[in-house]
Amino acid sequence: MTLAVTGGSLDGQVVGLRATDGVIEALGPDVEADPGDDVLDAKGLLICPPMVNGHTHAAMTLFRGFGDDMALMEWLRTRIWPAEAKLEPDDVYWGTRLACVEMIRSGTTKFADMYWHGAEVAPAVRDSGVRAIVSSVIIDELDPAKGEKLKPQVVEVLDRLAEAGPRVQPSLGPHAIYTVSADTLRWLAEIAAEREIPLQIHLSETEKEVEDCLEAHGKRPAGYLDELGVIGPRTVLAHGVWLDRHELDLIAERGATVVANPAANMKLAVGGVLPYPQAAAAGAALGLGTDGVSSNSNLDMFEEVKLFALSQKYASRDPSTLPAAEALAVARGLRSPVLAGNRLAVGEPADFLLLRGSDPELSAGDPDADLVYAAGGSVVDTTVVAGEVLMRNRDVADAEEIVAEVRARARRLTGL
Ligand SMILES: [Zn+2]
């Protein structure tokens, strides 16, 4: 199947794009549609690479607006954990479907996910047409005996994810160092290495996590994880707010990716953001994520990239910190080997967006600055993954049915 995009705008030039079997095979001013191609008329639209959401819990769309403005532990204990205890596998399927609709509408074509019933995330990703690095969250409450019992289930979920098709990348999702024992983390690192798959974990989100780690293990969180073999080139470390210079050097040396989650950090008032200037100076691989909807409260990477850039300027008291083009590169997954975003070039996956160039936010000025500081996800007109059109004219298939399903399920889970 060949998809041809005609009359689109790229770097101020009118261009065409042809994609065959999911890959860009031609791009430029002379590229036109051939007879028999599926044609997308992109007149007035800007062709642009998609966003990659580096850390989320997609199915938490079920808990949007449930317990906002609360302290983290109180919120988890009184709202999220009791509601999650009622979660059925089907809830996770539908919650993820809704997250995918939201991501497609705001220009994200790939996400890294960690959630309960991870095996149910895979069919939701497949049915939505996006790409995802999927993991089922692993928590043994620091009890290695419990961890031991989880092992067959962890392997079974990985095997199921491995059969979920080319758009699902199986991975492991130990929750954090304060919820998973050292023995289980060491075993998970071995499995990740054996299968050459990504491992996702929360790291240094709060200052308390660092203090507790120092007290329990005599080292800071990154050093502790490294000792267990967890930090490698396929490791995704979410948050990283309290990482110090030595930890960032270690993470850079290992090739692991740190994912910033500025909206969640500010909403939960953790007291800081990822130290981007130090992370960049250390040469660490970087990504950007929304975290779950329950702590954000949306999945719009255009909004997140603005918060990323602004929070870094604010924290460093320097407006030249994290310029727009670099913030965009991070948000597109281009600064991480494991998130592996794609560029617009021949031979790359045919994942791209068509943006409404005539929208007020994009009507004048530097294109990168407009995308970061002015635009929201609503400027996205068309979303394409592997040459397949998932949204055209802001219309995503089955969106109404998915919203209705999630609304009913959210009501059952939260009572709201
Ligand atoms: Zn998270």
Side-chain angles (χ1 to χ4, degrees), residues 55-57 60 114 175 202 205 238-239 261 264 290-292 295:
H55 174 71
T56 190
H57 314 279
M60 291 190 95
M114 174 204 285
H175 176 264
H202 295 102
E205 181 175 1
H239 295 289
N261 297 267
T290 57
D291 211 344
S295 52

Side-chain angles (χ1 to χ4, degrees), residues 40 78 216 219 270 297 365 380:
L40 270 181
T78 65
K219 7 179 116 51
V270 299
S297 300
V380 180

Side-chain angles (χ1 to χ4, degrees), residues 3-262:
L3 175 74
V5 179
T6 58
S9 174
L10 179 65
D11 300 329
Q13 246 187 344
V14 175
V15 300
L17 180 155
R18 293 184 85 242
T20 300
D21 297 331
V23 175
I24 299 174
E25 65 164 23
L27 175 68
D30 305 326
V31 177
E32 287 173 9
D34 285 347
D37 290 352
D38 280 339
V39 180
L40 270 181
D41 177 5
K43 198 158 171 277
L45 301 174
L46 314 174
I47 306 181
C48 143
M51 300 292 204
V52 175
N53 191 338
H55 174 71
T56 190
H57 314 279
M60 291 190 95
T61 50
L62 292 158
F63 304 126
R64 196 190 318 261
F66 181 53
D68 297 80
D69 313 320
M70 290 173 77
L72 176 63
M73 284 320 285
E74 186 196 358
W75 169 69
L76 287 173
R77 278 202 198 103
T78 65
R79 301 292 173 98
I80 295 303
W81 289 341
E84 283 185 338
K86 294 188 248 171
L87 266 184
E88 303 285 344
D90 270 1
D91 296 327
V92 172
Y93 172 84
W94 286 105
T96 307
R97 285 297 303 269
L98 185 64
C100 291
V101 170
E102 198 177 333
M103 287 191 262
I104 290 165
R105 281 167 59 89
S106 52
T108 294
T109 59
K110 187 195 231 183
F111 63 102
D113 198 62
M114 174 204 285
Y115 205 52
W116 302 109
H117 304 295
E120 301 305 319
V121 172
V125 168
R126 192 191 53 217
D127 295 348
S128 304
V130 295
R131 302 182 195 269
I133 304 168
V134 179
S135 69
S136 204
V137 68
I138 298 159
I139 290 180
D140 70 5
E141 295 166 342
L142 302 178
D143 179 352
K146 273 190 191 160
E148 194 60 43
K149 282 194 197 134
L150 290 175
K151 288 180 182 178
Q153 204 181 312
V154 169
V155 171
E156 192 204 312
V157 170
L158 276 187
D159 290 342
R160 280 180 67 188
L161 293 175
E163 289 163 7
R167 297 193 197 169
V168 171
Q169 191 177 1
S171 75
L172 288 163
H175 176 264
I177 58 170
Y178 54 90
T179 45
V180 186
S181 67
D183 286 359
T184 302
L185 284 170
R186 202 180 286 116
W187 178 76
L188 291 168
E190 284 166 18
I191 299 288
E194 234 167 65
R195 298 199 178 206
E196 298 182 344
I197 56 172
L199 182 150
Q200 319 178 33
I201 187 166
H202 295 102
L203 185 71
S204 280
E205 181 175 1
T206 65
E207 201 169 16
K208 184 171 186 309
E209 180 183 335
V210 180
E211 286 162 4
D212 290 351
C213 186
L214 277 167
E215 199 178 301
H217 309 291
K219 7 179 116 51
R220 295 177 67 88
Y224 169 65
L225 269 189
D226 189 54
E227 198 180 64
L228 300 173
V230 172
I231 302 189
R234 285 180 297 273
T235 310
V236 176
L237 306 163
H239 295 289
V241 173
W242 298 95
L243 294 171
D244 74 8
R245 189 60 207 251
H246 299 294
E247 291 178 289
L248 288 165
D249 284 342
L250 172 70
I251 288 165
E253 202 175 298
R254 297 283 185 263
T257 295
V258 189
V259 174
N261 297 267

